């Protein structure tokens, strides 16, 4: 199992807890990431939202790509997976900037391609917001342009949304054959696109048997393309304590509903912008990305056993959230990663 973590770009992960003692700042972000690669973490995921989805839209949210460029220069080992939303980035300009960051990091950049769901954010920033399946049409063409610029010189493209003539992108990314492209989604449009165009499938948190079914489905789709096997990752929120009782008490604390918390303001819009396979409960929305469903809650031994179940299901990567992050990541590294 590889261990990744969500970079703290929003000042926390809990919608019911106002202050998690982890500010959305470069100082905290960089200190945590540098420490993480020293204690056994393999990857960080940097989410891309211009508005703060967790603490409320008026609260600070760090910019993903400028943060990634800075992080590339001050770390040595971490894979830096950065979310990118095609409707927010022209593919040619993006390909140029991302190739440069990959070279700065010595080949450690990866993409998390997100076909965005938040209509109000796009409206605020004056950008087009495509309907659900149209978003995947844009993503497919966007990936064609980015891949083309990273592999061909010059590159030409005349498509529905983008047109390039004799475009040159040099230097190419250092990663070979390209930076790893991760993506997630539960609609048929999403899964078919990911199976044919991406390198890795990332999932919201769920039980091991559900994850095993999803992996089996994506493996079958992938085999039809003739492409190499994919990487499979999952989001999860971890609570490790000395006793199961203490861990469950922490879960109760962080999921006790605070209906006035600013982070709940976009709940209904978030649901309308997604096509989920299972009903999402408000309790689960307290922790993002269905992070409590995997059950990484309990003693270190219990959590290690649970991780083994996910390994048996075919999972390769955990994308972890914890709070407060620096202290809990230290605990998880010492009691779970180093003993697993």
């Amino acid at each position: 199992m590889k261990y990744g973590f969500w970079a703290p770009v929003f000042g926390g992960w809990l919608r019911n807890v106002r202050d998690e003692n982890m500010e959305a700042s470069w100082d905290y972000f960089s200190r945590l990431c540098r420490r993480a690669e020293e204690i056994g973490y393999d990857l960080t995921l940097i989410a891309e939202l211009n508005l703060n989805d967790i603490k409320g839209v008026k609260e600070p949210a760090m910019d993903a790509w400028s943060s990634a460029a800075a992080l590339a220069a001050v770390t040595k080992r971490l894979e830096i997976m950065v979310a990118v939303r095609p409707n927010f980035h022209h593919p040619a300009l993006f390909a140029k900037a991302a190739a440069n960051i990959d070279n700065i990091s010595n080949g450690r950049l990866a993409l998390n391609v997100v076909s965005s769901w938040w209509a109000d954010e796009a409206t605020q920033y004056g950008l087009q917001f495509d309907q659900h399946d149209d978003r995947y049409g844009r993503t497919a063409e966007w990936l064609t342009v980015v891949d083309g610029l990273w592999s061909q010189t010059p590159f030409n493209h005349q498509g529905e949304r983008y047109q390039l003539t004799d475009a040159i992108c040099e230097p190419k990314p250092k990663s070979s054959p390209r930076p790893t492209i991760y993506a997630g989604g539960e609609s048929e449009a999403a899964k078919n696109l990911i199976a044919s165009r991406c390198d890795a499938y990332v999932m919201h948190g769920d039980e091991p048997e559900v994850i095993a079914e999803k992996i089996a489905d994506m493996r079958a789709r992938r085999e039809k393309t003739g492409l190499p096997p994919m990487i499979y990752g999952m989001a999860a929120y971890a609570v490790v304590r000395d006793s199961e009782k203490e861990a469950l008490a922490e879960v109760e604390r962080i999921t006790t509903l605070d209906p006035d918390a600013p982070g709940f303001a976009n709940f209904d819009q978030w649901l309308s912008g997604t096509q989920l396979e299972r009903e999402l409960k408000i309790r689960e929305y307290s922790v993002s990305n269905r992070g409590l469903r995997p059950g990484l809650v309990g003693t270190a031994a219990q959590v290690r056993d649970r991780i083994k179940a996910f390994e048996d299901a075919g999972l390769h990567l955990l994308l972890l959230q914890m709070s407060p992050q620096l202290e809990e990541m230290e605990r998880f590294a010492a009691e779970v990663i180093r003993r697993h």
Side-chain angles (χ1 to χ4, degrees), residues 1 16 32 49 61 63 69 79 84 128 136 157 198-199 204 233 235 242 261 297 299 308 326-327 339:
M1 184 70 71
N16 287 314
L32 184 142
L49 285 175
D63 174 69
E79 182 179 349
V84 55
Q128 180 174 332
Y136 292 101
H157 177 80
C198 299
D199 308 304
H204 290 303
D242 293 336
V297 174
T299 66
K308 178 61 167 58
L326 187 58
E327 294 84 349
R339 299 184 186 182

Side-chain angles (χ1 to χ4, degrees), residues 24-44:
S25 70
W26 168 247
D27 178 69
Y28 187 88
F29 173 100
S30 60
R31 186 156 45 94
L32 184 142
C33 290
R34 285 179 287 176
R35 179 59 179 159
E37 68 177 3
E38 294 174 351
I39 59 178
Y41 292 90
D42 302 292
L43 175 152
T44 187

Side-chain angles (χ1 to χ4, degrees), residues 28-330:
Y28 187 88
F29 173 100
S30 60
R31 186 156 45 94
L32 184 142
C33 290
R34 285 179 287 176
R35 179 59 179 159
E37 68 177 3
E38 294 174 351
I39 59 178
Y41 292 90
D42 302 292
L43 175 152
T44 187
L45 167 56
I46 305 176
E48 182 188 53
L49 285 175
N50 295 300
L51 305 178
N52 193 321
D53 173 43
I54 305 296
K55 298 302 183 183
V57 296
K58 295 182 180 179
E59 296 303 313
M62 295 180 65
D63 174 69
W65 282 91
S66 57
S67 298
L71 190 64
V74 299
T75 54
K76 297 179 180 179
R77 191 180 63 81
L78 275 180
E79 182 179 349
I80 303 171
M81 184 208 300
V82 196
V84 55
R85 294 171 298 166
N87 62 320
F88 278 68
H89 298 268
H90 189 284
L93 300 178
F94 172 83
K96 178 71 175 178
N100 196 51
I101 296 172
D102 191 57
N103 277 275
I104 292 169
S105 72
N106 197 31
R108 291 184 288 120
L109 182 69
L111 311 185
N112 176 26
V113 178
V114 179
S115 297
S116 45
W117 56 268
W118 201 350
D120 278 358
E121 184 200 25
T123 300
Q124 282 192 24
Y125 279 76
L127 295 166
Q128 180 174 332
F129 186 78
D130 301 320
Q131 295 304 308
H132 188 273
D133 285 4
D134 291 339
R135 297 206 294 270
Y136 292 101
R138 178 181 296 279
T139 297
E141 186 177 350
W142 188 93
L143 285 170
T144 295
V145 173
V146 172
D147 254 347
L149 285 163
W150 282 348
S151 60
Q152 302 173 38
T153 301
F155 174 69
N156 290 278
H157 177 80
Q158 297 297 316
E160 180 181 348
R161 300 167 181 85
Y162 308 111
Q163 296 80 40
L164 286 77
T165 302
D166 294 335
I168 296 171
C169 178
E170 295 291 345
K172 305 296 188 197
K174 190 174 183 67
S175 302
S176 180
R178 67 180 184 188
T180 302
I181 297 178
Y182 297 79
E186 297 183 343
S187 68
E188 284 297 303
K191 289 186 282 193
N192 288 333
L193 172 69
I194 294 164
S196 62
R197 300 297 301 276
C198 299
D199 308 304
Y201 183 54
V202 288
M203 296 163 277
H204 290 303
D206 225 316
E207 297 89 356
E209 57 270 23
V210 176
I211 294 300
E213 292 173 1
K214 291 183 176 182
I215 290 174
D217 173 59
M218 289 300 289
R219 279 179 175 160
R221 294 173 193 258
R222 183 69 163 189
E223 287 172 1
K224 292 178 182 178
T225 71
L227 295 169
M230 300 180 77
I231 299 165
Y232 296 98
M234 180 190 70
Y237 188 91
V239 179
V240 177
R241 295 292 185 271
D242 293 336
S243 70
E244 183 179 18
K245 181 179 179 181
E246 290 175 280
L248 293 175
E250 172 65 3
V251 172
E252 184 65 25
R253 181 185 76 88
I254 66 178
T255 58
T256 298
L257 182 64
D258 178 1
D260 297 323
F264 278 99
N266 68 345
F267 177 66
D268 290 334
Q269 184 182 163
W270 186 80
L271 283 179
S272 68
T274 62
Q275 291 186 6
L276 299 178
E277 292 173 347
R278 297 174 61 180
E279 181 182 1
L280 182 68
K281 299 176 183 178
I282 290 179
R283 175 183 168 93
E284 291 183 325
Y285 195 69
S286 301
V287 174
S288 67
N289 302 98
R290 290 179 250 171
L292 290 174
R293 283 194 192 180
L296 300 188
V297 174
T299 66
Q302 288 174 315
V303 171
R304 289 195 298 269
D305 288 345
R306 192 69 167 173
I307 291 171
K308 178 61 167 58
F310 284 109
E311 288 178 329
D312 292 344
L315 197 70
H316 303 116
L317 169 68
L318 284 170
L319 296 166
L320 297 167
Q321 294 177 351
M322 305 173 206
S323 177
Q325 197 158 348
L326 187 58
E327 294 84 349
E328 291 301 317
M329 282 178 56
E330 289 274 6

